[in-house]
Amino acid sequence: MVTSVPNKVGNYSSTGNGVHKLFFDDITNFLRRCLFRVLSVGPIPTHLAFIMDGNRRYAKKQNLKEGEGHKAGYLALMSLLCYCYELGIKYVTIYAFSIENFKRRPDEVQSLMDLMLEKMEALLMEESIVSQYGIRVCFIGNLRLLSEPVRAAAEKVTKVTSNNSKAMLLVCVAYTASNEIVHAVEGSCKEKEKEFRLCNLNNNVMDDVKEGEKVNGMVVHDIQDFYEDTSVESQGLKQGKGCNGAPYHACESFESNWDQVLTSKASKSGEVSEGFRNLRQEVPVIKLVDIEKHMYMAVAPDPDMLIRSFGESRLSNFLLWQTSNCQLYSPAALWPEIGLSQLVWAILKFQQSHSYLEKKMKQL
């Protein structure tokens, strides 16, 4: 017969259930640590990304009120984050709110914003997972689309956790990959425009040079013709045609187009091509590295694996730029049902394909 143990173990009022629960929790934690130790023998992903699909379906399945599914999803997320950081996964990215989600009913959007604000404030508490694991939190996306209270809370969490360095949580809100790419291209163009204005071949310098004189080895009238030609080419690209009027292909390099123009102008002018080489070096050109450094996700390496719940394999405009060499895992469980077993299977799947993907990456 089990006797009551009042005021002996915590605040449990039932007959020994508190002792059993504590014992069970200790055993569970011990077994989980053993499991993680075994998994750590193989490669562990540095960065996991999650598309949290199925919160509303879960609420409907469990006959819960609207919005309760997202709260259950938040609890599942907290457990999963603990498992990830215990396993040594340093970066976790979650797709919390898409720009497309703003198209939902206003009351549903407001409910999600209220829940987001509540959970952001909870992250700042001393006993939160952020403090426990030393997590730096970054909010990724077009934050200008958020309401003022939510945006202010996001900025506060980012600032307060900025010195944490053990792990990183990236929360994608008001985000789509297409918006991120447009943002990166715009940022790159603005940066190159500033560099161009500082270039000694800008109009301010040219105003002080007479016709026929040389600047960096180029005759003045040739430089002016060069800018006119490149302007015409830009119009051709906007119209879907290449520099020579042929259909434009994305795989063609902008740099090669510039080289063709420079070679052509050098032949026309009869001047030594050294001046054109100088111009080629000084005129700013947008490169891949320029685009990538202006990405919202530039603060973290590309994901090693993307996990989407409910068996869906669509990316839904999420991290399209960063997932070209990323594994995709789609467990059948709804997001609030995601737990340790799904994470373990994801790690095993990653380890199974890791060597093959590493060889592929080296070949690129």
Side-chain angles (χ1 to χ4, degrees):
M1 180 179 179
V2 180
T3 58
S4 176
V5 189
N7 300 323
K8 294 288 184 179
V9 183
N11 294 319
Y12 299 101
S13 58
S14 59
T15 58
N17 287 341
V19 176
H20 294 158
K21 184 179 185 302
L22 290 174
F23 178 75
F24 179 77
D25 288 346
D26 288 342
I27 292 296
T28 302
N29 292 336
F30 173 75
L31 292 176
R32 187 175 70 249
R33 287 195 296 270
C34 290
L35 176 61
F36 287 172
R37 183 66 63 88
V38 173
L39 287 175
S40 297
V41 173
I44 297 295
T46 301
H47 187 174
L48 286 184
F50 294 96
I51 298 179
M52 304 180 292
D53 192 16
N55 290 320
R56 291 189 294 178
R57 294 185 186 94
Y58 177 82
K60 187 175 181 179
K61 177 182 175 182
Q62 300 294 330
N63 294 319
L64 300 175
K65 294 181 180 179
E66 189 172 346
E68 293 299 317
H70 290 92
K71 293 180 180 179
Y74 175 80
L75 295 177
L77 172 63
M78 291 299 103
S79 297
L80 209 59
L81 288 177
C82 290
Y83 299 150
C84 287
Y85 296 133
E86 287 178 10
L87 194 52
I89 298 169
K90 186 168 184 179
Y91 299 92
V92 174
T93 299
I94 60 172
Y95 201 5
F97 194 86
S98 166
I99 292 177
E100 298 298 320
N101 291 148
F102 283 110
K103 297 178 182 179
R104 294 181 180 180
R105 297 194 324 271
D107 60 325
E108 183 180 356
V109 173
Q110 186 58 50
S111 176
L112 290 173
M113 289 295 110
D114 292 341
L115 178 62
M116 198 178 301
L117 180 60
E118 175 188 338
K119 300 311 178 184
M120 285 180 185
E121 293 172 349
L123 288 176
L124 297 176
M125 296 181 180
E126 291 185 7
E127 66 275 12
S128 73
I129 185 176
V130 169
S131 302
Q132 183 180 354
Y133 291 97
I135 302 170
R136 177 187 172 192
V137 182
C138 288
F139 290 88
I140 304 297
N142 190 353
L143 303 186
R144 294 173 298 177
L145 299 178
L146 299 173
S147 63
E148 179 58 33
V150 176
R151 183 169 62 252
E155 292 172 351
K156 183 177 180 181
V157 172
T158 301
K159 182 178 180 181
V160 170
T161 63
S162 59
N163 293 326
N164 294 346
S165 57
K166 292 182 179 179
M168 194 169 188
L169 173 62
L170 298 101
V171 184
C172 293
V173 291
Y175 173 92
T176 59
S178 53
N179 178 264
E180 178 184 27
I181 293 171
V182 170
H183 167 80
V185 172
E186 289 177 345
S188 300
C189 291
K190 289 178 181 178
E191 182 181 64
K192 293 301 177 180
E193 182 183 12
K194 291 179 181 178
E195 292 182 14
F196 184 79
R197 292 182 183 279
L198 294 175
C199 181
N200 64 354
L201 295 175
N202 60 32
N203 292 333
N204 291 332
V205 173
M206 300 306 298
D207 289 342
D208 297 329
V209 182
K210 296 180 181 179
E211 180 75 15
E213 292 185 358
K214 291 186 177 182
V215 177
N216 288 340
M218 289 188 68
V219 180
V220 171
H221 60 73
D222 289 332
I223 297 176
Q224 293 169 341
D225 291 343
F226 171 80
Y227 285 123
E228 290 174 1
D229 285 358
T230 54
S231 176
V232 172
E233 289 171 7
S234 299
Q235 294 297 324
L237 289 176
K238 290 180 180 178
Q239 296 169 7
K241 295 184 178 180
C243 296
N244 298 321
Y248 173 71
H249 299 288
C251 60
E252 292 179 2
S253 170
F254 285 107
E255 295 183 36
S256 64
N257 292 333
W258 280 67
D259 290 334
Q260 292 173 9
V261 175
L262 289 173
T263 304
S264 172
K265 293 305 295 182
S267 300
K268 283 184 188 178
S269 64
E271 293 292 323
V272 180
S273 60
E274 182 64 30
F276 291 96
R277 285 197 292 270
N278 291 340
L279 179 63
R280 176 68 182 80
Q281 293 173 358
E282 294 190 38
V283 174
V285 176
I286 295 178
K287 300 180 180 179
L288 178 62
V289 66
D290 299 312
I291 300 292
E292 291 189 331
K293 76 178 181 181
H294 285 93
M295 288 283 183
Y296 293 136
M297 288 291 295
V299 295
D302 291 347
D304 300 300
M305 173 173 275
L306 190 152
I307 301 174
R308 176 166 188 165
S309 54
F310 198 48
E312 292 283 354
S313 56
R314 295 177 294 108
L315 294 183
S316 297
N317 213 348
F318 179 55
L319 302 184
L320 300 183
W321 185 278
Q322 296 84 3
T323 52
S324 58
N325 295 294
C326 175
Q327 294 189 54
L328 176 63
Y329 177 57
S330 304
L334 299 170
W335 176 254
E337 299 169 342
I338 288 282
L340 179 61
S341 60
Q342 286 82 11
L343 178 62
V344 170
W345 279 114
I347 300 301
L348 291 174
K349 178 179 171 61
F350 171 80
Q351 293 177 343
Q352 183 181 18
S353 307
H354 182 260
S355 58
Y356 171 77
L357 290 175
E358 283 290 298
K359 292 178 182 178
K360 283 291 186 182
M361 288 291 291
K362 291 178 180 179
Q363 294 173 3
L364 295 178

